[in-house]
């Protein structure tokens, strides 16, 4: 699905030099490299505060911890996402309220969010799924109306830009009160291990979050709140500093690959290619996800495997059907779009080293399968 070796070879000299520097200075924790990455990422994102942390799941959890919520407070989030999004809600004894997604964009459905809001709702947690932005403008309007927070899960859309109806632009992850991202190796900006970051323009919240990531300490050995230990280490920061310079270039490569796939599939009625909200959204193609309308998706997965083509199914099971998150009051009929997507989606190899002949080979095999059934 990704070619991490090819990506390393392309920047090997720079990465090796950056690592050598870290080894020589031996500031492995909270060293100058982490500070440098924080500043570089603040510039890139156009956000006042970046708080680096250990991974994307922690980033979501710490962001929620910073909002001073109480047990039982409700967090409205999509049913169609990676489990980490609801995991942190549940861990903090908050209540995940799952809602259905839009069948075209796969993002939070704004009407469904509005219906789900109660007196206990404190947060809307949209996910910028597969590299495209959730409908931030209507979600922010809704949040303002009800006096609740918006926390963006931006693990999959680093570098994507959202355009408001007045023309104002902002990077995904910096639009709500707080945003979280992941530097898992396969993400658009991937470390050589785990990493994550939190974004906010709110000075007080940023101060609070910087303490929470560090055992609730704002002054050495004074623990004001219950915190966690969640740090980005200097080695990962050094690598991310190199790769951040290439993020826009990487995202362009993903877009080019997506256009080639789109072209190959343009005339097939058996497939739906990724929808693009051209007016207000850029798409950074964390995944290139097709919907299979003819033939069985799982048989296509097998067909591709038979031809040594890797693929992914994100996500095969709706969260409300997962044992850990099942809620007897939630019925399948509330989530028709999520349920259909879980049966129909397939993500093809998508990365920065994808060559045209590979895309042609992959698309030929997909078409060969759907044309036969
Ligand atoms: C990857 C991912 C996360 C978690 O990130 P980790 O760094 O692996 O903890 C959270 N949400 C979404 C949507 C993701 O894709």
């Amino acid at each position: 699905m990704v070619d991490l070796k090819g990506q390393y070879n392309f920047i090997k000299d720079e990465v090796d030099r950056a690592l050598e520097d870290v080894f020589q200075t031996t500031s492995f924790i909270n060293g100058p490299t982490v500070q440098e990455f924080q500043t570089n990422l603040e510039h890139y994102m156009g956000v006042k505060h970046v708080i680096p942390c250990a991974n994307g799941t922690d980033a979501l959890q710490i962001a929620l911890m910073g909002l001073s919520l109480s047990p039982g407070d409700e967090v409205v989030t999509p049913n169609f996402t990676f489990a980490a999004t609801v995991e942190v809600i549940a861990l903090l004894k908050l209540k995940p309220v799952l809602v259905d997604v839009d069948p075209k964009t796969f993002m939070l459905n704004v009407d469904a969010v509005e219906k789900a809001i109660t007196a206990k709702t404190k947060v809307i947690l949209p996910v910028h799924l597969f590299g495209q932005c959730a409908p931030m403008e209507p979600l922010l309007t809704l949040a303002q109306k009800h006096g609740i927070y918006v926390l963006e899960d931006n693990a999959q859309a680093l570098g994507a830009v959202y355009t408001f109806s007045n023309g104002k632009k902002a990077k995904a992850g910096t639009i709500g009160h707080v945003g979280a991202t992941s530097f898992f190796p396969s993400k658009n900006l991937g470390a050589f291990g785990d990493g994550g970051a939190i974004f906010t323009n709110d000075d007080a919240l940023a101060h609070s979050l910087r303490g929470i990531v560090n055992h609730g300490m704002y002054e050495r050995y004074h623990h004001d709140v219950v915190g966690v230990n969640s740090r980005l280490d200097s080695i990962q920061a050094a690598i991310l500093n190199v790769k951040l310079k290439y993020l826009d270039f990487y995202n362009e490569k993903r877009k080019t690959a997506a256009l080639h796939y789109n072209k190959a599939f343009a005339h097939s009625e058996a497939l739906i290619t990724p929808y693009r909200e051209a007016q207000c959204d850029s798409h950074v193609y964390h995944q290139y996800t097709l919907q299979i309308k003819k033939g069985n998706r799982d048989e296509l997965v097998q067909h591709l495997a038979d031809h040594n083509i890797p693929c992914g199914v994100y996500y095969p099971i709706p969260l409300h059907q997962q044992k850990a998150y099942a809620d007897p009051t939630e019925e399948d009929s509330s989530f028709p779009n999520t349920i259909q997507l879980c049966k129909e989606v397939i993500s093809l190899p998508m990365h920065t080293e994808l060559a045209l002949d590979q895309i042609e080979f992959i698309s030929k095999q997909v078409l060969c399968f759907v044309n036969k059934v």
Side-chain angles (χ1 to χ4, degrees), residues 259-272:
L259 289 178
H260 286 305
Y261 275 133
N262 282 347
K263 217 155 113 195
F265 300 134
H267 302 295
S268 174
E269 281 172 16
L271 303 167
I272 301 179

Side-chain angles (χ1 to χ4, degrees), residues 54-58 60 81-82 84-85 127 129 153 155-156 181-184 187 194-196 286 315:
N55 58 67
T57 309
D58 276 7
L60 286 167
T81 175
F82 181 52
T85 320
V127 179
L129 201 71
D153 182 340
Q156 300 191 3
T181 200
S182 161
F183 306 121
F184 185 80
K187 300 284 154 93
D194 276 312
H286 174 61
Y315 297 93

Side-chain angles (χ1 to χ4, degrees), residues 287-306:
Q287 299 294 348
Y288 183 88
T289 303
L290 289 172
Q291 271 173 272
I292 306 300
K293 300 307 270 186
K294 198 168 139 242
N296 182 298
R297 188 265 324 272
D298 295 328
E299 283 170 22
L300 173 58
V301 170
Q302 189 55 51
H303 173 84
L304 294 178
D306 292 344

Side-chain angles (χ1 to χ4, degrees), residues 312-345:
V313 172
Y314 313 111
Y315 297 93
I317 304 169
L319 290 167
H320 79 284
Q321 292 177 358
Q322 299 283 1
K323 261 195 217 157
Y325 306 108
D327 174 341
T329 65
E330 281 168 344
E331 291 178 23
D332 284 4
S333 58
S334 312
F335 310 106
N337 300 328
T338 298
I339 287 172
Q340 192 170 356
L341 289 173
C342 288
K343 287 191 195 118
E344 294 181 350
V345 289

Side-chain angles (χ1 to χ4, degrees), residues 14 47 59 63 89 100 109-110 118 142 172 174 177 190 195 197 220 227 229 275 290 315 317 322 333 335 338-339 349:
E14 276 180 278
V47 73
I89 301 171
D100 205 9
N109 178 304
V110 180
T118 71
L142 202 55
T174 68
H177 299 90
R220 206 164 171 77
N229 170 17
Y275 177 77
L290 289 172
Y315 297 93
I317 304 169
Q322 299 283 1
S333 58
F335 310 106
T338 298
I339 287 172

Side-chain angles (χ1 to χ4, degrees), residues 6-18 37 40-41 44 158-159 171 187-190 192 238-255 284 351-353:
Q7 207 183 50
Y8 170 55
N9 285 336
F10 180 70
I11 49 172
K12 185 177 184 311
D13 290 347
E14 276 180 278
V15 167
D16 291 357
R17 242 182 292 130
F37 174 61
N40 290 341
L41 192 56
Y44 177 82
L158 206 67
K171 289 245 163 76
K187 300 284 154 93
N188 289 46
L189 178 62
F192 289 7
I239 293 159
L240 290 166
N241 261 330
V242 173
K243 290 183 80 178
L244 179 59
K245 290 188 287 186
Y246 296 97
L247 180 56
D248 286 342
F249 168 76
Y250 289 149
N251 283 342
E252 279 308 316
K253 286 198 135 195
R254 288 173 180 270
K255 280 181 217 174
V284 293
H351 55 85
T352 49
E353 271 63 40

